[in-house]
Amino acid sequence: MELTRRRPARRLVLRALGTAVAITASALVAPQPVAARPDTPVPAETLSRGALADPDQALGPKWTTSTDQLVTGAGDRNGFHVYLAREREAFAWSMLTTLNAGLPDAGAWTGSVCVTGSGKRAVAVYAPVSYTNKPELATKGAYVAVVDLTTGKATPLRERVQLAYYNPSCGTGERVLVTRPTDVGQQTTEVLAIDAAAGRVTSTVRLAGQFTNAAPAADGDYGILRGGLHRLRAGKLTKIADPGGRPFAVRATAAGAIDVLTVDAPKQGVADRATAHRYVGRRHTVLGTAPATGLELVGLSGGRNALVGDLGGIRQRPSDLVMLPAAGKTRVASRQGHLLAMSVLPVETGRADHRSSLAVTVRATDSGQVSRRTVTATAKPPADVAPPRAGRIQTPQASIAAGEVISNPAYWPTCAIPRNDIRRQVLQPSANQVEWAVDLAVQGKLTITRPANYLKTGMASYTPQGLFPWSSSDPRVPAQVMLAVLAQETNMAQASWHASPGDGGNPLVSDYYGTRSSAGWDYIDYSSSDCGYGISQVTDGMREDQTCAVCGPGWTELQRVAIATDYTANIAAGLQILVEKFQQVQSLGISVNTNDPRYIENWFLAVWAYNSGVHTADEPGSLGNYGLGWYNNPANPSYPANRAPFLRLDQNDASHPSDWSYPERIMGWAEVPQWQWIDPYTKYSTPTFGSTSNQLSLPGMYQFCQAANNCSPFGDNSSCDESCWWHSDTSWVTEANPLSTEKLVYAVGSAEPAAKRVYPKVCTPFSATGALIVDDLADSSMNPLGCAGQSWGGKFTLRLGSPAGDLMSFHADIDLHQLGAGYLGHMWFSHSMDPDYAGLHKIVGTWTPNIRSGTSSWDIVVHLPSHGANETGASYYIERGRGVAGDPAECPINQDAETLGVDRWVSLGRYTLGPGARVQLSNMIAGSTGDVDIAWDAMAFVPASGTAKNCGTTW
């Protein structure tokens, strides 16, 4: 008998991530009626969530009656969160909603928010950070949702758009614009108009050319095409002006003015400057110039705009253009401009899940006071999981058992190495292990012997660079280049995002189920699976029956398993691919600087190719053009022209990586090492810099936009096509800016370092006289942590689907995960779901002890893991078996041990049991919304003795 339990009151628990992810809003909330000054002071709990330690001093005496508020967003592994902070509550933070498109295993999220002119709604564009590594997903794969700022209700839209710094764009009304190119070449753009009040797209206009910075206005829509300001009205474009320079911001005011920011043409030895322009009809006014980095144009309430940054050079100040001085990058202002937020980041704890704490850096504009605080936001669950619908069903195969997981996929997966296979578990490495493997691999010395049956895969013995060799004749990849690629691709993760360093878990696979092509996790499309595996996201050769450039007719089964499960083998394979890209660039006759591969900067074009490929002159439709594509050219206007080098000035850059091209991001991670949140903050080493500034020598934004490839950064031909593919020699090195080389930490012959674990490994078996132990694996020794197994005292099964075992059960596969935590190093977990909302994701775990005959009294004890489970109302149902009267008993258990961080045994109570007795746990809990982990771990049935312990008592 399986019952549904209603969820008790609980808090949301957010998953941690290696690289913090956040991005802030660009528009604000409209005025509300002024409230009377409260008779009682603001509660201390509210003040603790405030962005300012002393609001009286920072905001002035009237802050308690202010209607000002700020809307922003921040992403982590649970999704993209939309936050609201009100001045009258000392800008305390409240989470309005969480957006994750129902993708439970997508890693960290990023996004952007704007607020409509009424101040009643926000529109968010959001996506997993990993999408920024896939050109086709970055250009037209991001999700869109409208959020009600009063209720927090989110309305997801079906349309997918570009993840770009100018998406979405709100105006003075409820009309919001988003854009997307029709292909990676970005030579045709679709402009989508959203009616935020109705929560739907009202029109889509297709334009020839790369149309950016779309801005809604009363007399039409404005934007930039080939460097010029254009108006789009009734589906037709009209050129308004040539602002000069490279435009990077466009906004309209309620009075009909159009404000534009441009970066001026660079001058030798002079820092980049930005110019502020205003257009009223055909009248053009230059308002002044300012340092380009940090200058922003944002919207305020009442249809006003605001310039934010170093504004000393802004001479003219129209009444509907507010000046908000600030130092450094600012991406959000409160609706009345009383508060600027420079950084909003989830707090990293090093645990598999963390509370909704935020590290915020803000500036009160009246006082100029800057505050850096860690605040706790009230939380709300994900709100954009689409209701289930029928998936694509092909000829079904028979029910299969993967370990003890009983499922019924409707058709075969495309990716070669399966998820949730107990013989394909992966150990998550820590940063020190990754650096060790890279340091040895770039020297061709990653020859550690992996024994037969390594990680219980059943495979033969191998060495990483025996499977994926590097030759002394190959170009030498600098260690920091390879480390940077791993940092950008996966945050140095080999196992699933759910696994902390030292844990086991599923292989990290990019879109195993093809869900990115659809509305989310209710829809499997294996034909769209990406199949990028592991720390370097090896994709070629990792689909069934697929050949590839470096693997010839295909990888062997041993090679594929090693790529998926062993971080050292994956690094060796990824290194092969990177070497191949360098060689492909060389084969086109392209020389970079000194062309010596020992230097980090000389790999700029190779990592460009690693991400978006190398085009050859014989490609169909190329017309003889060849080289590196336009998408990753730093001159592409999809990236803001006023950006600084990635990570050089602000590590918060990692929260919105789509603002930089892929090679810029790799150079940034090489210059500024990625950090992990253990021991305490672990980083790989910096390069041996060639300059005294301890910086890489990077190419200018327009280094690859020249007459040689028909590209001009300023002027009517600044939008490029295939003729702009870069294929010429290039050099940007000067005597003042020499090249940098690698720095190695680990010498050849160094032993593999131990993982720096977040949680201790626990291999202690349960011990009680006569106990029947029912583990979640038939063979408890099948864990990658090396824990010894023990005798089996019964049977455990997980049945997927609702009803379990029907042809639709494969939906539940998407949100089932194995983790190297819990009893003897293995457990299963999913997320709690409402049965009326997501019944196809039903998972039922059953523990059946080997009680052969008779009836007797037993104590039932369940093991709860130190991490990976935080369901506070997990209801275990006890069926007493044959010969025992009575309905099934119920024992609700709080699985959340996160505050303790230790494994524990908890009593389900004492019962008389007979043959056929069993305990069941389902993830179907009324009121659940898919944001809380629920786990199935070991259970012990102990012959009763002594005093019975009640349900929920620690054993």
Side-chain angles (χ1 to χ4, degrees):
M1 180 176 181
E2 299 168 16
L3 304 177
T4 296
R5 181 175 177 83
R6 184 159 299 280
R7 167 172 298 286
R10 54 157 178 79
R11 63 188 181 278
L12 172 67
V13 181
L14 305 179
R15 295 184 186 87
L17 68 158
T19 303
V21 179
I23 199 161
T24 51
S26 57
L28 314 152
V29 179
Q32 298 178 359
V34 176
R37 188 177 185 90
D39 295 330
T40 57
V42 177
E45 186 276 333
T46 300
L47 288 175
S48 71
R49 294 187 284 113
L52 300 160
D54 187 345
D56 286 331
Q57 183 183 50
L59 301 172
K62 297 182 179 180
W63 67 270
T64 57
T65 58
S66 172
T67 59
D68 197 12
Q69 53 189 12
L70 177 148
V71 177
T72 187
D76 61 16
R77 293 189 188 182
N78 205 48
F80 182 69
H81 312 289
V82 180
Y83 294 98
L84 175 68
R86 296 184 177 89
E87 183 173 10
R88 66 173 181 265
E89 297 175 346
F91 287 108
W93 297 80
S94 297
M95 186 188 297
L96 287 170
T97 191
T98 296
L99 304 168
N100 63 18
L103 300 178
D105 201 18
W109 287 74
T110 184
S112 184
V113 178
C114 73
V115 177
T116 63
S118 70
K120 296 179 180 179
R121 300 167 190 89
V123 174
V125 170
Y126 54 101
V129 171
S130 61
Y131 281 23
T132 67
N133 299 327
K134 308 287 184 180
E136 68 279 7
L137 290 177
T139 51
K140 52 183 179 179
Y143 300 89
V144 187
V146 179
V147 180
D148 187 303
L149 295 180
T150 301
T151 65
K153 178 184 177 181
T155 302
L157 306 184
R158 296 180 62 87
E159 288 76 10
R160 307 280 284 276
V161 301
Q162 185 174 11
L163 192 64
Y165 74 97
Y166 44 75
N167 271 341
S169 176
C170 294
T172 58
E174 295 302 288
R175 196 164 184 274
V176 181
L177 299 181
V178 289
T179 58
R180 65 185 176 207
T182 58
D183 56 42
V184 173
Q186 300 178 287
Q187 299 316 301
T188 305
T189 306
E190 291 183 333
V191 181
L192 290 74
I194 298 170
D195 181 342
R200 62 186 180 90
V201 171
T202 57
S203 67
T204 301
V205 177
R206 179 172 290 195
L207 304 174
Q210 189 173 1
F211 189 76
T212 65
N213 300 96
D219 62 340
D221 300 323
Y222 289 80
I224 303 299
L225 179 69
R226 298 184 180 91
L229 176 66
H230 288 68
R231 181 174 62 209
L232 174 63
R233 188 162 59 187
K236 295 183 179 180
L237 279 174
T238 302
K239 188 172 184 179
I240 302 300
D242 281 315
R246 175 58 65 87
F248 67 93
V250 179
R251 284 194 61 87
T253 70
I258 307 298
D259 293 319
V260 179
L261 299 183
T262 63
V263 171
D264 304 335
K267 296 180 181 179
Q268 187 69 30
V270 178
D272 285 348
R273 302 285 294 179
T275 298
H277 306 259
R278 169 159 284 211
Y279 296 89
V280 181
R282 295 284 179 175
R283 188 173 75 251
H284 173 215
T285 303
V286 175
L287 304 178
T289 65
T293 301
L295 185 65
E296 299 296 335
L297 178 65
V298 301
L300 297 181
S301 60
R304 300 169 297 159
N305 287 340
L307 278 177
V308 185
D310 182 349
L311 306 177
I314 306 299
R315 300 180 300 275
Q316 299 192 40
R317 306 187 178 192
S319 60
D320 59 350
L321 184 64
V322 178
M323 303 295 154
L324 299 176
K329 193 77 170 177
T330 301
R331 294 178 66 91
V332 63
S334 62
R335 67 174 181 86
Q336 295 175 12
H338 296 173
L339 190 74
L340 304 177
M342 285 78 79
S343 176
V344 180
L345 296 173
V347 172
E348 191 54 76
T349 65
R351 295 174 175 173
D353 299 281
H354 66 84
R355 308 305 187 244
S356 49
S357 295
L358 297 169
V360 298
T361 301
V362 298
R363 182 180 188 271
T365 55
D366 282 349
S367 65
Q369 180 176 319
V370 175
S371 177
R372 296 175 177 85
R373 299 193 75 194
T374 297
V375 299
T376 301
T378 58
K380 289 194 176 182
D384 66 333
V385 180
R389 65 175 186 269
R392 297 181 181 178
I393 302 178
Q394 296 180 355
T395 303
Q397 64 185 69
S399 289
I400 62 170
E404 297 303 307
V405 181
I406 300 175
S407 180
N408 192 357
Y411 56 108
W412 288 105
T414 304
C415 301
I417 305 301
R419 290 178 73 256
N420 290 322
D421 185 337
I422 61 173
R423 283 194 172 273
R424 300 294 180 261
Q425 296 181 61
V426 183
L427 278 179
Q428 190 76 285
S430 53
N432 60 316
Q433 292 179 308
V434 174
E435 184 164 24
W436 164 82
V438 168
D439 282 1
L440 270 59
V442 297
Q443 302 175 79
K445 302 299 183 182
L446 189 55
T447 55
I448 182 175
T449 299
R450 295 304 197 198
N453 198 31
Y454 178 63
L455 299 180
K456 307 300 175 68
T457 62
M459 293 288 107
S461 176
Y462 64 88
T463 65
Q465 286 190 303
L467 291 179
F468 309 104
W470 177 86
S471 169
S472 59
S473 62
D474 289 335
R476 167 75 176 267
V477 181
Q480 275 67 36
V481 171
M482 190 65 199
L483 286 164
V485 168
L486 305 182
Q488 177 57 43
E489 288 288 335
T490 59
N491 191 20
M492 299 187 292
Q494 174 69 16
S496 161
W497 311 105
H498 300 291
S500 298
D503 281 351
N506 274 323
L508 177 62
V509 193
S510 176
D511 197 21
Y512 181 84
Y513 295 103
T515 52
R516 68 183 185 182
S517 66
S518 63
W521 60 356
D522 63 292
Y523 190 81
I524 291 177
D525 180 6
Y526 282 127
S527 66
S528 297
S529 300
D530 179 73
C531 303
Y533 277 85
I535 192 168
S536 61
Q537 284 294 277
V538 177
T539 302
D540 285 353
M542 294 305 290
R543 296 169 70 93
E544 291 287 359
D545 303 322
Q546 183 189 44
T547 61
C548 64
V550 295
C551 64
W555 302 117
T556 66
E557 180 66 9
L558 174 58
Q559 287 174 311
R560 282 176 165 176
V561 170
I563 286 172
T565 60
D566 183 358
Y567 77 99
T568 64
N570 193 286
I571 288 171
L575 188 71
Q576 271 194 348
I577 297 170
L578 188 54
V579 166
E580 179 212 11
K581 298 305 178 185
F582 188 93
Q583 292 171 329
Q584 286 179 350
V585 171
Q586 296 297 301
S587 70
L588 296 179
I590 303 174
S591 175
V592 183
N593 296 318
T594 64
N595 222 37
D596 187 336
R598 292 179 301 167
Y599 295 103
I600 292 171
E601 295 89 341
N602 291 351
W603 285 80
F604 194 93
L605 296 187
V607 296
W608 183 340
Y610 187 90
N611 179 247
S612 54
V614 176
H615 302 280
T616 59
D618 57 358
E619 285 186 15
S622 69
L623 301 178
N625 297 306
Y626 63 96
L628 285 304
W630 175 241
Y631 170 75
N632 270 318
N633 194 313
N636 190 324
S638 289
Y639 314 114
N642 69 330
R643 66 192 186 276
F646 184 62
L647 299 176
R648 179 170 290 179
L649 301 182
D650 189 357
Q651 291 187 353
N652 188 38
D653 291 349
S655 69
H656 46 104
S658 57
D659 286 5
W660 289 265
S661 68
Y662 187 87
E664 290 178 278
R665 281 179 266 152
I666 297 304
M667 292 297 124
W669 285 123
E671 179 180 296
V672 182
Q674 191 175 58
W675 55 98
Q676 280 192 331
W677 25 261
I678 52 177
D679 198 37
Y681 283 95
T682 305
K683 299 180 181 180
Y684 51 82
S685 60
T686 56
T688 300
F689 292 107
S691 68
T692 56
S693 63
N694 288 334
Q695 296 174 344
L696 297 181
S697 299
L698 301 179
M701 194 175 300
Y702 309 111
Q703 182 72 31
F704 311 101
C705 190
Q706 301 170 5
N709 64 332
N710 302 310
C711 175
S712 172
F714 308 103
D716 284 345
N717 65 336
S718 60
S719 183
C720 278
D721 55 22
E722 286 81 355
S723 65
C724 293
W725 291 350
W726 182 261
H727 51 257
S728 302
D729 293 344
T730 184
S731 178
W732 58 87
V733 177
T734 65
E735 187 173 324
N737 296 294
L739 297 173
S740 302
T741 56
E742 70 181 3
K743 182 185 295 181
L744 300 177
V745 173
Y746 294 92
V748 171
S750 299
E752 181 179 18
K756 294 184 177 180
R757 302 181 60 91
V758 177
Y759 300 92
K761 181 173 72 172
V762 179
C763 292
T764 305
F766 184 88
S767 178
T769 302
L772 300 176
I773 310 300
V774 183
D775 196 7
D776 64 281
L777 293 178
D779 180 357
S780 56
S781 70
M782 293 297 295
N783 66 81
L785 305 187
C787 295
Q790 65 176 159
S791 59
W792 196 28
K795 181 181 181 181
F796 174 81
T797 59
L798 278 175
R799 288 189 178 271
L800 279 57
S802 178
D806 74 2
L807 294 182
M808 301 299 290
S809 66
F810 66 95
H811 286 290
D813 292 357
I814 301 176
D815 192 31
L816 177 64
H817 315 271
Q818 60 179 334
L819 191 65
Y823 185 65
L824 299 184
H826 189 277
M827 54 172 269
W828 302 96
F829 79 93
S830 183
H831 293 88
S832 303
M833 297 286 182
D834 189 299
D836 295 330
Y837 188 62
L840 294 179
H841 294 277
K842 185 175 186 177
I843 300 175
V844 179
T846 303
W847 295 262
T848 305
N850 284 337
I851 300 175
R852 301 301 185 185
S853 61
T855 62
S856 57
S857 185
W858 298 80
D859 289 318
I860 305 177
V861 193
V862 65
H863 187 270
L864 300 180
S866 62
H867 59 291
N870 41 64
E871 174 54 68
T872 58
S875 286
Y876 293 80
Y877 294 98
I878 299 95
E879 296 184 16
R880 296 174 170 87
R882 296 187 296 275
V884 184
D887 293 330
E890 176 188 0
C891 177
I893 294 293
N894 180 356
Q895 291 189 341
D896 190 358
E898 196 67 29
T899 56
L900 302 175
V902 295
D903 289 60
R904 58 197 173 118
W905 289 91
V906 174
S907 173
L908 299 185
R910 178 172 291 179
Y911 305 91
T912 299
L913 304 178
R918 63 180 185 173
V919 180
Q920 290 191 311
L921 174 66
S922 170
N923 67 330
M924 295 289 105
I925 300 178
S928 297
T929 49
D931 60 303
V932 173
D933 296 342
I934 185 168
W936 295 267
D937 203 349
M939 192 171 289
F941 297 80
V942 184
S945 64
T947 303
K949 291 194 174 183
N950 295 327
C951 166
T953 304
T954 299
W955 184 261

